[in-house]
Amino acid sequence: MDNITEYSVEQVKDPFGILPGKRYEFIMDIQVDEDDELYSEHGIYLRVIYGVEESTQGIVNYHIHERVTDKYLDFDLEDDELAEVEAFCREHYNEADN
């Protein structure tokens, strides 16, 4: 993964209070090199659910999608890519509260 080119973040509402803490949904447009297995000529984006509780925070779930077709891509991010996404979420999740 080379670059997060655009993103949005919003808090996921839990009207029944089932989930502990807060959840945030990130939609991240990702730029990747043509030789990367994640590459698609249509572009790709990540849908990330990021959880924040009193003592912990981190990625709860993520999915990779093709931008134009919205098709789910069955790939996993590598550990360093996942760490990069998690750091990005940690830095930006509070924007949804503003």
Side-chain angles (χ1 to χ4, degrees), residues 17-57:
I18 296 171
L19 301 172
K22 295 182 179 181
R23 299 287 188 269
Y24 299 88
E25 179 182 44
F26 283 82
I27 304 295
M28 303 176 185
D29 286 340
I30 306 295
Q31 179 182 7
V32 296
D33 290 333
E34 285 186 32
D35 60 345
D36 192 309
E37 69 178 341
L38 293 176
Y39 177 79
S40 167
E41 64 185 25
H42 299 292
I44 64 167
Y45 72 93
L46 296 177
R47 180 178 175 266
V48 179
I49 303 298
Y50 188 76
V52 178
E53 297 180 38
E54 287 184 28
S55 60
T56 62
Q57 59 185 352

